[in-house]
Amino acid sequence: MTERPAFAFFSPEVQQDPYSRYAVARAEEPIFFCEDLGMWVVTRHADVAAILRDTDRFSSKVTTTNIKEPPPEVLAVMRKGFPRTGSIVQLDAPEHTAVRRKLNAAFTAERIAALEGTVVALANELVDAFAADGRAELMTRFCGPLPVAVIAGILGVSRADASEFGQWADDAARLFMGGRLPTDEWVRAAESVVAMQHHLADLIAARASAPAADLLTTIIQAATDPSGRLDMVKAVTHATTFVFAGHKTTTDLLGNAVRLLLLHPDRLAALVRDPSLAAAVVEETLRRDCPVPGTTRVARVEVKLGDVTIPQDARVFLALGSANHDERVIADPLRFDPERADVGEHLGFGRGVHFCLGAALARLQGRVGLAALTSRLPGLRLAGDPPLKFRQVVMFRGLVSLEVAWDAPERSSASPVATPTRIT
């Protein structure tokens, strides 16, 4: 079976609008081999959900390797860092079970609930910096900095130490998640990731000598064997995963949610009237424009799904974004409707044993961030004409930039600038 021209995954057209292509696939060829990815692509909700739960026949190992082999110059840089192996998203049972059990301690419902005041304060602080300006690029001024500050706090890292986390996470996405770069850019991304690894290794070594009640200490415990030996490679891998996932996915969730609201003024107006709707907007964004539109598995054995046989050891791309638009499960899937009854069927956080560990944290930041923006920036609107451009990265769906404007208070030498109402 050969690749369909419409599924050139790295093309700007598909990155901008994958959903119309997926709709055709779900109807005509729901499981197909894509040469562009070198993977079997699964598009229907039932099949994707079943594979996510089927750990007997599908492995999570090597789920985030490059789709295209890096050139020698990039590999030479990467050898100066730590091997990317043993991330929690790449582990199978029983190792995954043991590591997950230890890391769960940092993401209990009580711990996440206790963070709300901190997240509200951080969101207000960020909005304070530009509320009087009347215009801002939100991806760099708000959607990115909020999760960076939050994950730094959870790790137990100062914001000064975490100042480069955002750029490092962006470079990790480009390096590991299927973007196609010119060699010189690929080398720079690799250098950035290696710098992040060594920075985290230094923080881990310091924390190992002075444990605290934070995620970094929990990571150290998860990477320490029964004899008490710390496996630095595993510790750095876990820490890198949390920096990367904790920043990138939430950044894109916030950006995608704001975009959808601004393209649907009635939904924005409803949220302004009733900030409690922010949680529903987050869920519908996870369905309508999922920030993680796909994940991968490896077939442990030959698997027959419907009329298609997936060979043993073949890599499989589970198109979460397509599953979230499957007409068999989701009514009128292109409609952005936070009040829809079937929103809970989305696969934005996966299913099964690898259900996103940070789901509650992402939801918290999403609803707090949206409440801060919509309550404190009156008349919020796009500053330019749509469509907005999405990054060309297969495993993530997020905006390159998000320029917005709002009705800022008029500046006057005779009177001070009014302070917008802060969310509490």
Side-chain angles (χ1 to χ4, degrees):
M1 192 177 297
T2 59
E3 177 215 0
R4 293 167 173 268
F7 277 96
F9 272 79
F10 293 94
S11 72
E13 295 78 17
V14 171
Q15 295 296 302
Q16 194 69 27
D17 175 26
Y19 304 118
S20 59
R21 279 78 166 181
Y22 277 135
V24 175
R26 288 193 302 272
E28 297 180 0
E29 195 177 5
I31 301 173
F32 63 93
F33 186 76
C34 175
E35 294 288 350
D36 202 32
L37 291 176
M39 301 187 200
W40 292 86
V41 178
V42 182
T43 63
R44 288 183 180 173
H45 188 285
D47 293 328
V48 171
I51 292 174
L52 287 171
R53 292 191 176 100
D54 189 351
T55 57
D56 290 334
R57 297 190 298 172
F58 292 92
S59 169
S60 296
K61 289 186 181 294
V62 200
T63 60
T64 56
T65 54
N66 275 292
I67 292 168
K68 180 182 177 183
E69 179 70 14
E73 300 94 324
V74 174
L75 293 174
V77 172
M78 293 170 66
R79 282 193 287 270
K80 298 176 183 177
F82 292 80
R84 185 172 170 80
T85 180
S87 163
I88 187 172
V89 299
Q90 298 172 292
L91 297 177
D92 292 325
E95 188 177 3
H96 173 266
T97 308
V99 172
R100 174 94 179 206
R101 185 181 297 117
K102 292 178 181 178
L103 295 177
N104 276 342
F107 293 91
T108 63
E110 294 78 13
R111 283 202 174 191
I112 300 304
L115 285 171
E116 181 156 358
T118 298
V119 178
V120 168
L122 288 169
N124 276 315
E125 178 185 327
L126 290 168
V127 176
D128 284 343
F130 56 74
D133 297 343
R135 184 173 178 134
E137 197 289 293
L138 287 187
M139 299 306 292
T140 55
R141 299 295 301 277
F142 186 86
C143 299
L146 179 61
V148 165
V150 170
I151 195 62
I154 293 173
L155 281 166
V157 176
S158 71
R159 290 176 69 178
D161 279 338
S163 61
E164 294 182 286
F165 277 8
Q167 185 60 53
W168 284 337
D170 287 341
D171 290 332
R174 301 196 315 155
L175 181 64
F176 294 118
M177 291 297 182
R180 293 187 175 182
L181 303 174
T183 298
D184 59 338
E185 292 184 30
W186 212 339
V187 167
R188 284 196 295 272
E191 291 171 342
S192 177
V193 170
V194 168
M196 173 176 64
Q197 291 177 329
H198 285 290
H199 182 78
L200 289 170
D202 290 342
L203 293 172
I204 290 165
R207 183 65 84 252
S209 300
D214 55 34
L215 177 57
L216 211 56
T217 299
T218 303
I219 287 172
I220 290 168
Q221 294 167 350
T224 299
D225 64 25
S227 70
R229 185 185 68 86
L230 172 63
D231 186 328
M232 185 60 80
V233 171
K234 288 184 178 179
V236 169
T237 298
H238 292 324
T240 301
T241 298
F242 281 112
V243 169
F244 177 58
H247 165 264
K248 203 76 210 138
T249 55
T250 307
T251 294
D252 291 339
L253 171 61
L254 284 165
N256 293 353
V258 172
R259 169 185 171 272
L260 287 167
L261 286 169
L262 298 185
L263 293 177
H264 298 84
D266 57 328
R267 297 299 179 183
L268 174 59
L271 178 57
V272 171
R273 290 193 301 270
D274 182 4
S276 70
L277 293 175
V281 172
V282 168
E283 294 305 310
E284 177 65 342
T285 300
L286 288 164
R287 185 205 65 79
R288 177 59 179 80
D289 252 338
C290 180
V292 182
T295 188
T296 60
R297 295 291 187 268
V298 177
R300 297 176 184 268
V301 296
E302 182 179 277
V303 179
K304 187 172 178 62
L305 295 174
D307 297 329
V308 175
T309 298
I310 297 177
Q312 182 178 1
D313 297 326
R315 294 209 305 168
V316 181
F317 182 82
L318 304 179
L320 305 177
S322 175
N324 288 343
H325 284 244
D326 191 340
E327 304 84 351
R328 295 156 191 80
V329 177
I330 306 293
D332 192 9
L334 290 177
R335 187 180 81 249
F336 176 64
D337 181 6
E339 299 179 63
R340 64 168 59 246
D342 51 17
V343 69
E345 297 299 323
H346 76 75
L347 300 177
F349 289 126
R351 287 281 171 90
V353 298
H354 280 280
F355 184 83
C356 178
L357 183 60
L361 179 61
R363 284 170 164 141
L364 170 63
Q365 293 179 79
R367 64 178 176 79
V368 168
L370 291 177
L373 292 171
T374 56
S375 67
R376 299 194 56 199
L377 305 179
L380 188 63
R381 56 195 179 270
L382 290 173
D385 296 327
L388 301 176
K389 185 179 178 182
F390 286 87
R391 295 190 316 276
Q392 286 186 261
V393 179
V394 169
M395 298 293 190
F396 288 91
R397 180 164 175 80
L399 296 169
V400 173
S401 64
L402 179 56
E403 292 279 354
V404 299
W406 59 91
D407 302 327
E410 292 186 7
R411 298 177 182 271
S412 169
S413 58
S415 60
V417 176
T419 302
T421 303
R422 295 165 66 84
I423 63 166
T424 59

